[in-house]
Amino acid sequence: GGGMRQAGVIAAAGLYALRNHVERLREDHDRAARVAAALRELPGFRLDHEPQTNMVFLQPDMPIERLIHHLAEAGITIVDNRWVFHLDVTDGDVEQLIDACKRF
């Protein structure tokens, strides 16, 4: 046992987010929707489903490792096909991601 003995620290972060960032969640959802709309227009990119939150689930027609490598060369780090938009992702970051995907 003991894996969750620090649960209070995790809970504190959740409470802080609920008290200070709920209104701005719309921005994250909008950024996810912008990326999804752009990807729908590109060949080779498919979405697992339409985003309803701040997450985009990509189902690429190519090995994801190729996309990971391409985006890394553009200065964008992804680890898999689930992209989560959050407080630290800006509109500029979204445009950079869309542009890199178009070049792919």
Side-chain angles (χ1 to χ4, degrees):
M4 288 300 293
R5 71 187 167 93
Q6 301 295 332
V9 174
I10 297 168
L15 288 173
Y16 181 86
L18 288 171
R19 291 180 182 142
N20 296 284
H21 295 295
V22 170
E23 283 91 29
R24 64 151 309 284
L25 274 176
R26 172 60 32 213
E27 297 171 31
D28 298 334
H29 294 190
D30 291 345
R31 288 181 178 116
R34 276 186 19 226
V35 169
L39 293 179
R40 274 194 299 279
E41 302 297 318
L42 299 176
F45 290 90
R46 287 182 295 119
L47 302 179
D48 188 25
H49 60 275
E50 289 303 311
Q52 297 177 359
T53 64
N54 63 327
M55 292 186 265
V56 172
F57 293 89
L58 182 65
Q59 293 299 322
D61 291 340
M62 79 296 289
I64 192 70
E65 293 78 17
R66 285 184 51 214
L67 181 60
I68 290 170
H69 179 73
H70 172 77
L71 292 178
E73 288 180 341
I76 301 166
T77 302
I78 65 167
V79 294
D80 62 21
N81 62 336
R82 180 179 59 112
W83 299 355
V84 181
F85 298 83
H86 53 79
L87 177 66
D88 297 324
V89 177
T90 67
D91 287 330
D93 296 333
V94 166
E95 293 309 314
Q96 182 184 3
L97 174 60
I98 291 170
D99 290 342
C101 288
K102 286 178 180 177
R103 288 191 308 273
F104 184 69

